[in-house]
Amino acid sequence: MTLPGAPWLHRRGRTLYLEDVALDALARTHGTPLYVYSRAAMRDAARRYERALAGRSHLLCYAMKANSNLAVLQTLAAEGCGFDIVSAGELERVLAAGAPASRVVFSGVGKTRAEMVRALQAGVRCFNVESLAELDRLDDVARALGTRAPVSVRVNPDVDARTHPYISTGLRDNKFGVVHDEALAVYRRAAELPGIDVRGIDCHIGSQITELAPYLDALDRVLDLVEAVEAEGIALHHLDLGGGLGITYTDEQPPAADALVRALLERIDARGHGARELLLEPGRSIVGNAGVLLTEVQYLKPGAHKNFCIVDAAMNDLVRPAMYEAWMGIVPCVERDGTPSVWDVVGPVCESGDWLGRDRALAVAPGDVLAVLSAGAYGMVMASNYNTRARAAEVMVDAGRAHVVRDRETTTQLFAGEHLLPD
Ligand SMILES: *Cc1c(COP(=O)(O)O)cnc(C)c1O
């Protein structure tokens, strides 16, 4: 079987490698749970988008909430990427990674005044505004600073991305964006506000999307609005079509990034909008298959109805299975002889929802290291300290070398900010 993450993730004999680094040995050196990323894999994913966009005015804004480690940002900044952020904290990460704020777009439904001030002072490229109330606040903040805020309105095109309900964002009943029917009124208001500089239009319909059709439907709805807005004399410089392209976890067959870009450009050209700058905000499709989570088998607990394989990674390290019932591949780092049994791979956290994979055929023994595949996106960034568990370390492999890009948290760090009461 081809592994998701190939060719960077591959086997030599029985041993699993990421690029030229044996994962079992890496787990022994750095301990588990351990996130490991391939720098070549994320570069390649970004280049697939970049190649398809070549010759067009564009900015690929990596949606950094998928994986915001500074070394990941540094790698993508060097590829020419900008960043889609959803908090002031993410902006500080971009700046710490050495990338300019002029390549940042700021999304999210709940921007605070303090976040607006920081983003305006840093000089972000655009705010993706998600409501009339937010627009008014941003105008107020910008005028107080004696400046104008560059703005796109995030419109909700009311198309079904046909993905998990928790990661679908483009339907009328989602909290995201301005509903299509009200978008024109929001643009009219934006054009009148002295602290607002209308720059473009934005949409983002969901995540783990595996078909082209929802993108093209959303694009058509967005272009209808562009035409209506410009008919009123309000110029829109750029189109931001969001992110959301899916990856292969098991048998999904999402379109390739270049096929998606080509289809979008074709439709944009066919409707006469080819001169407009294009922004995209991919997250998962840049980093998802560039990473794995390594975990060591602690105990085997066979039972009458279920066999449990208890590992040292848990829902606090990787929440996707518990939160979305997401299926993620789980394979041994060194294959062993013996007939596989069927196991539920579970963590030590005190919740029945703490599982990483159910009904997996594996030949395993305590002490073996397993790799949870496709863990580069929405893995470490969603980790918590539930059960007072320190968060995992992160390693980036690059040209045959392994670099620790985040130290394992220590237990004392976990309660360093807490205080005992005076007696
Ligand atoms: C999460 C998010 C993205 C990226 O989604 P992926 O599915 O990871 O590509 C892009 N834009 C916005 C506004 C988002 O919230």
Side-chain angles (χ1 to χ4, degrees):
M1 110 184 165
T2 5
L3 294 165
W8 295 277
L9 187 69
H10 61 278
R11 266 191 208 284
R12 296 183 195 164
R14 296 174 171 226
T15 304
L16 191 66
Y17 280 75
L18 190 60
E19 298 189 23
D20 291 319
V21 176
L23 291 173
D24 186 64
L26 208 55
R28 307 289 171 208
T29 307
H30 298 283
T32 48
L34 184 71
Y35 276 98
V36 189
Y37 312 121
S38 156
R39 196 172 200 195
M42 42 186 87
R43 275 189 181 137
D44 179 72
R47 285 177 192 173
R48 278 168 193 269
Y49 279 97
E50 287 290 352
R51 274 201 298 270
L53 288 162
R56 293 279 181 147
S57 169
H58 74 275
L59 184 64
L60 189 66
C61 293
Y62 167 61
M64 62 181 281
K65 74 176 191 286
N67 185 333
S68 56
N69 184 285
L70 295 188
V72 172
L73 306 185
Q74 173 194 25
T75 298
L76 294 171
E79 294 300 313
C81 290
F83 299 94
D84 173 55
I85 66 167
V86 291
S87 72
E90 288 193 341
L91 175 57
E92 299 309 331
R93 282 183 176 273
V94 170
L95 300 175
S102 61
R103 280 200 240 150
V104 168
V105 298
F106 192 173
S107 301
V109 292
K111 301 175 194 80
T112 64
R113 272 180 193 277
E115 286 179 315
M116 289 173 174
V117 168
R118 180 69 185 117
L120 282 167
Q121 283 171 340
V124 299
R125 184 187 204 88
C126 198
F127 290 84
N128 291 336
V129 167
E130 305 217 13
S131 65
L132 204 49
E134 182 192 336
L135 185 72
D136 284 336
R137 177 186 276 183
L138 184 57
D139 170 62
D140 195 50
V141 172
R143 280 188 292 121
L145 291 175
T147 184
R148 295 177 77 205
V151 158
S152 279
V153 176
R154 175 168 174 182
V155 300
N156 185 329
D158 194 23
V159 301
D160 187 354
R162 291 190 279 275
T163 182
H164 189 283
Y166 284 12
I167 53 178
S168 182
T169 58
L171 282 166
R172 177 176 293 270
D173 291 340
N174 291 130
K175 71 177 175 181
F176 299 100
V178 174
V179 297
H180 194 270
D181 301 344
E182 291 164 19
L184 190 55
V186 175
Y187 271 108
R188 283 189 192 123
R189 175 145 185 92
E192 285 166 2
L193 293 172
I196 297 294
D197 177 20
V198 175
R199 302 294 302 155
I201 192 163
D202 167 51
C203 79
H204 170 72
I205 56 173
S207 197
Q208 187 53 18
I209 300 168
T210 54
E211 300 165 64
L212 283 177
Y215 278 104
L216 293 174
D217 291 348
L219 174 59
D220 272 329
R221 303 273 288 165
V222 166
L223 291 177
D224 291 346
L225 256 175
V226 168
E227 288 162 11
V229 170
E230 293 205 327
E232 306 215 354
I234 304 167
L236 296 176
H237 172 73
H238 72 249
L239 294 175
D240 181 341
L241 299 177
L245 183 60
I247 62 169
T248 301
Y249 288 99
T250 165
D251 53 5
E252 304 91 335
Q253 294 186 323
D258 37 2
L260 169 65
V261 172
R262 276 199 305 274
L264 293 173
L265 292 176
E266 210 169 278
R267 181 68 58 93
I268 290 169
D269 290 348
R271 291 195 50 174
H273 293 272
R276 241 174 266 279
E277 185 184 25
L278 182 62
L279 272 59
L280 294 174
E281 303 170 350
R284 188 191 312 267
S285 55
I286 303 280
V287 291
N289 275 328
V292 298
L293 172 63
L294 304 183
T295 182
E296 188 189 77
V297 177
Q298 302 298 304
Y299 302 103
L300 296 181
K301 192 174 170 184
H305 301 287
K306 277 268 179 202
N307 297 322
F308 293 102
C309 169
I310 302 168
V311 298
D312 66 358
M315 62 187 291
N316 76 293
D317 300 298
L318 180 63
V319 79
R320 297 189 66 256
M323 190 148 123
Y324 313 112
E325 300 200 327
W327 194 99
M328 306 184 71
I330 302 177
V331 299
C333 284
V334 181
E335 286 174 328
R336 60 164 61 243
D337 291 329
T339 321
S341 304
V342 175
W343 303 96
D344 276 13
V345 179
V346 302
V349 162
C350 301
E351 297 277 348
S352 296
D354 179 29
W355 54 278
L356 297 176
R358 286 175 168 157
D359 298 327
R360 303 305 176 88
L362 290 166
V364 276
D368 285 3
V369 178
L370 302 178
V372 184
L373 309 183
S374 316
Y378 305 108
M380 183 64 184
V381 285
M382 295 175 97
S384 78
N385 295 122
Y386 188 38
N387 281 206
T388 304
R389 288 169 52 83
R391 281 176 296 173
E394 294 174 287
V395 165
M396 178 92 76
V397 301
D398 180 29
R401 293 189 50 197
H403 304 269
V404 176
V405 294
R406 182 190 178 114
D407 297 331
R408 185 174 302 284
E409 229 167 15
T410 63
T411 304
T412 44
Q413 278 177 306
L414 298 188
F415 48 79
E418 297 180 30
H419 306 283
L420 294 170
L421 293 170
D423 273 330

